[in-house]
Amino acid sequence: MATKTTAAVTDIGTLRHELYLLNMKKISGELKETHKIKVLKKQIARELTAMNNPTL
């Protein structure tokens, strides 16, 4: 079971890093498609929910 948690944490870390990079691009004006940020936020929330509520 530790493997699943470790994999989930790695996935969440990767998603958060991508979100950080997109936010930096948005601030600098390089990113025009801001819907990608919203999609990543939802994906992070889904991963955290699945990790914290395994019965769902």
Side-chain angles (χ1 to χ4, degrees):
M1 189 162 192
T3 307
K4 288 184 180 179
T5 305
T6 305
V9 170
T10 304
D11 292 342
I12 293 170
T14 304
L15 291 174
R16 285 184 174 166
H17 182 70
E18 289 178 33
L19 179 62
Y20 172 78
L21 292 176
L22 286 177
N23 278 325
M24 290 300 113
K25 285 183 180 181
K26 179 184 173 189
I27 289 170
S28 67
E30 296 176 23
L31 182 69
K32 301 297 181 193
E33 301 171 2
T34 56
H35 70 278
K36 291 180 182 180
I37 293 173
K38 188 176 180 180
V39 169
L40 270 176
K41 285 181 181 180
K42 283 184 178 182
Q43 211 170 5
I44 291 169
R46 285 186 189 119
E47 290 286 331
L48 288 172
T49 300
M51 187 171 68
N52 292 325
N53 297 322
T55 58
L56 293 178

